[in-house]
Amino acid sequence: MNKRKFLAKKMVFLAITLFAILTTNFILFRVMPGDPALAFLPKGASEEVIDMVREDMHLNDPLSVQFYHYIIDTIKLDFSVTTVYPPAGTEVVDIVMPRMFNTLLLIGVGLIIAIMAGVWLGRFAAWRRGEAADTFAMTFTLLFYTMPTFILALALLIFFCGNLDWFPLQGAYGELPFVSNPPRYSDMSLLEKIVSRSYHIAMPVLAFSLQMMADFMLIMRNSLTDVLTEDYIVTAKAKGLSHRQVMNDHAMKNAMLPVVTVIALAMGWVVGGEIMVEIIFSYEGIGQLTWAAVEARDYPLLQALFLILAVGVLIANMISDIVYVYIDPRVSL
Amino acid sequence: MNWLALSALLIATAVVSVWMIRKWHRDKVILTPTEKERLMLKLTEWRASWDMFRGNKLGFSGFVILIAYIIMALFAPWIATVGDPMETSNQEPEHADWDNPHSPTLAPSPYTGFVHPFGTDNIGRDVFSMTLFGARASMAVGLFATLISVTVGVTVGLLAGYFGRYSDEILMRFTDYFLVLPWFPLMIILMTVLGQTFTNVIIVIGITSWPSTARIVRSQVLTVKERAFIERARAIGAGDAHTIRVHVFPNVLPLVFANTVLLISIAIFTEAFIAFFGLGDPDMVSWGTILENAYYFGAFDTNAWWWVTPPSIAISLCVLSFAMVGYALDEIYNPKLRSR
């Protein structure tokens, strides 16, 4: 298949999916119970004020016109203002943006650790298939793979942050290790900022990446055992190539393909697990904000967050498609 | 939840009796010789699968744990030390020498006479009995949500794989779209829109977990479709509906079966966290609700480990055992894995 053609097809699908997500997002929040205009206003507002707000939010227009306005506003990154989330009436973008960095940091660090460790462990287990090391690695991963993320996160929170008090209980930054009265975050030096952030992020990343790691390891191992039974691996061994050469030059290249696909498909799960971890560790990111928005029934905020999360997953999928093009020998020029 | 079980039972009996009556009208006997032969063959086949399953240590131990869970769910009111833990009269009241949550004790409480082997929670409910009753919620969700998800998934997969072309393209793009949607926020939003009842929990889990089944079924249908016996069946004039029902579906079934067990474990896990994040039915005892209460009423600050540990272990072990059985079945039924 042609590389360009493949990518073009993917892009068209991406555009269609994006439109479908926008539509879903629009419809979901139109069937929500309650009048958005009333949620926006203080109790006991007069009839005229309510009408004015409704007109301003295009609520009096037919659905098609509302949809048109919704699309236009989204393209302009105008997500309206929050109705409940304090302080009410803030631009949604201003609330979301600072938290975006925290979330991306957590996902990025967690995913990199999970992918590297998972692939390495899977490779380790596959090469020693059937040996004690393999059995041990498999039991270990099966345990973490099936343990619900929120229970793992809770256990880590209780032991390491609660009982032992080695790590901070909440937040994305602020505390410093071995310092009882840390300065304000904005007053810290760059080094202190980095230390503070790593101190806070350590436990959430551990909780988040352990399960992902187990997942990736299982797939890596299964995919590698598939490849290692192929004839060309026997040939490679018979040629007298070393273990390392067989692995790196022959086995890994083909075994990586399904792993990339699975990592791409797992993005929906990644986001879900990340939200749970954020909520339990009170880590100020998008996930925790989603939670706060649900608790407050703040629909404009929730609508924007859902869109951001969905688009995030979509972008991750697109990236993995592009990576796929470069590592799959069948898709080439 | 009771009416759910009842209606499922009713539908099952109706289907079976309609089938029996139609068969009786057609053949005038219960089993024709051909059918007897076929049944014997099926039985040997099943026995072979069972032997293979028995031989798989991991899968079989998972199966044993599962049986224990099912017994827990079915006989919860009789095993429990407290009849129904949600009943106000069965809750341990606060007294001078009895404060809730109370640590585990095997001596009967001096006030209500109940034994609390796992202690009590903040309002005096017995944790042991609640954990037992929690198995009911999990099993019900596992069963019904997976039923919805498998029905939708198999239908989409069969239609897409069998008819190919446009229907395949459209249905698979639809499936991909569902795979891309971030399921956790979607569930949060759906639960807020639909309302927090136990039935809605089941529906929401069902309609968000079908895409993987659809993909597996489709890929299997694609290989089955090319086999010679399908062509022969079509050559002697079998219609699409007949071909799918009699020739394609039975060949896809084993893989679906293995996938279903894995789906159940996912459904149970999903129910637990929906309940944990306070989106579930507040009147339903479930492991997630127990954990939610423990989290919000400070079990973690007061070190009330007996309130947290039983439901956590129950969820983890339940999910683990379903997953172990699922992998074992996958190894037996998936031809790609069997030879290794």
Side-chain angles (χ1 to χ4, degrees), chain A residues 205-231:
Chain A
V205 159
L206 188 63
F208 167 60
S209 60
L210 263 179
Q211 198 178 26
M212 290 295 136
M213 195 168 87
D215 195 2
F216 296 155
M217 185 208 133
L218 276 178
I219 289 133
M220 189 68 223
R221 179 188 173 275
N222 289 347
S223 153
L224 251 184
T225 41
D226 255 351
V227 171
L228 284 176
T229 48
E230 298 271 352
D231 289 339

Side-chain angles (χ1 to χ4, degrees), chain A residues 3-4 6-7 253 257 260 319-333:
Chain A
K3 207 180 254 183
R4 213 167 275 155
F6 180 80
L7 278 183
K253 271 185 186 160
L257 293 178
V260 173
I319 292 173
S320 78
D321 275 338
I322 294 171
V323 170
Y324 202 90
V325 168
Y326 281 99
I327 65 165
D328 189 350
R330 283 167 301 184
V331 186
S332 59
L333 284 170

Side-chain angles (χ1 to χ4, degrees), chain A residues 157 169-172 277-285 288, chain B residues 295:
Chain A
L157 182 75
L169 269 167
Q170 55 176 12
V277 169
E278 276 189 11
I279 295 171
I280 286 176
F281 285 99
S282 312
Y283 183 88
E284 290 122 351
Q288 203 243 350
Chain B
Y295 187 69

